[in-house]
Amino acid sequence: MAEEQGRFDVWGGGRPAAGDAYERYMGRWSRRAAELFVSWLGCGPGLRWLDVGCGTGALTATVAARCRPRTVVGVERSAAFTAAARAAVPPQVGLAVADGQRLPVRDASFDVAVSGLVLNFLPAPHDAVAEAVRAVRPGGTVAAYVWAYGDGMDLLDRFWAAATAADPAAAGLDERTRFPLCRPEPLRRLWTGAGLSEVAVTPVEPTAVLADFTELWEPFLAGQGPAPGYVAALAPPARARLHDALRAAVPARPDGSITLGLRAWAVRGRTPAVRPSRPTVMR
């Protein structure tokens, strides 16, 4: 079932233009969420940061610009997204193509590990959090944010409602039901289950302002992410029906402009001050 639901989860692949396609679709909003997230973390200068699943570099670039870090390293499984991130971040930022569930870093080598809009797409998010805990020094910070599907993420909530109205079979692909992790209590349990303390969860709420419906719709044609992957697979008549259903569902001002609320849930916690003794694993 999970494999069937995730068949449209297209992230990067071998397409050189994948990074640009993602930026048009979600990167513009994830950057705004990253700014609010980093402000909420309130970490001081001179720290070593790790961004797990850095994608096209939205969160990595925000950390580099706003946090006066000692070092920043981004890890991303997609080579195409990593290339896009390279163009978006300062040259001193380190980037590696690797799986966030098996980080190529030494134990306790960072002060802060963060992740933006990634956890719910991983086969084993608990493994990714455990790896982040391993990578962070005792008393450091592990934090992440994910879109609040079905709970204030208007852009995607309205899309999937329109998709299901036009095609009832789309209900099984709806991110609002696919990702129960993306709620406060499941995130809190994930963090406390990884041994993190002082766990806090908060909403992060940027706003999407679009000039017109075309600016909203065209990124869904780019094929990067679950919703665009679904749109790309539709036959032209079905795509036209979805276009019309979404247009009818989205509130527009008299001048055609559209404002949508966006919400992510952010979670943070502190790594144990004393780690359990175990053999060091070189990666």
Side-chain angles (χ1 to χ4, degrees):
M1 176 63 75
E3 183 177 347
E4 173 68 12
Q5 289 178 324
R7 69 186 186 277
F8 298 120
D9 293 359
V10 181
W11 304 112
R15 299 170 53 190
D20 290 340
Y22 177 80
E23 282 295 304
R24 292 196 302 275
Y25 168 55
M26 195 58 71
R28 52 187 174 165
W29 315 129
S30 64
R31 290 177 190 281
R32 296 182 186 181
E35 292 170 0
L36 296 171
F37 171 70
V38 165
S39 177
W40 175 64
L41 289 181
C43 296
L47 301 180
R48 302 162 297 172
W49 290 72
L50 174 66
D51 184 2
V52 181
C54 68
T56 55
L59 179 53
T60 316
T62 301
V63 169
R66 292 179 170 242
C67 300
R68 291 181 289 165
R70 175 181 168 188
T71 57
V72 186
V73 174
V75 174
E76 168 56 45
R77 185 170 58 180
S78 163
F81 278 12
T82 304
R86 180 74 282 164
V89 302
Q92 65 268 27
V93 171
L95 294 173
V97 179
D99 187 343
Q101 296 167 133
R102 283 189 62 84
L103 294 171
V105 301
R106 293 179 180 272
D107 292 4
S109 53
F110 293 89
D111 301 297
V112 186
V114 291
S115 179
L117 310 179
V118 173
L119 280 178
N120 50 293
F121 291 105
L122 298 177
H126 52 281
D127 288 347
V129 178
E131 274 288 85
V133 171
R134 178 187 67 79
V136 171
R137 63 166 173 81
T141 298
V142 175
Y145 60 98
V146 292
W147 288 129
Y149 303 105
D151 187 21
M153 180 53 180
D154 282 353
L155 180 67
L156 292 177
D157 294 348
R158 291 180 184 274
F159 173 87
W160 286 113
T164 302
D167 171 20
L173 307 171
D174 190 337
E175 291 159 284
R176 295 176 297 176
T177 55
R178 282 183 59 197
F179 299 129
L181 173 66
C182 298
R183 293 173 174 82
E185 285 313 307
L187 287 169
R188 190 182 301 276
R189 287 195 297 270
L190 183 62
W191 251 239
T192 56
L196 293 155
S197 63
E198 301 177 36
V199 175
V201 180
T202 194
V204 171
E205 299 176 319
T207 300
V209 180
L210 304 112
D212 52 30
F213 182 76
T214 298
E215 187 180 354
L216 184 152
W217 172 252
E218 286 190 342
F220 284 108
L221 306 177
Q224 287 295 314
Y230 169 74
V231 173
L234 292 174
R239 193 177 304 150
R241 287 194 296 272
L242 174 56
H243 170 279
D244 294 345
L246 182 58
R247 185 165 197 161
V250 172
R253 293 190 175 93
D255 65 357
S257 65
I258 297 167
T259 299
L260 295 174
L262 308 177
R263 176 181 288 167
W265 288 113
V267 58
R268 70 184 178 203
R270 193 168 300 281
T271 55
V274 178
R275 293 181 182 273
S277 59
R278 63 179 181 83
T280 299
V281 178
M282 300 298 293
R283 309 232 173 184

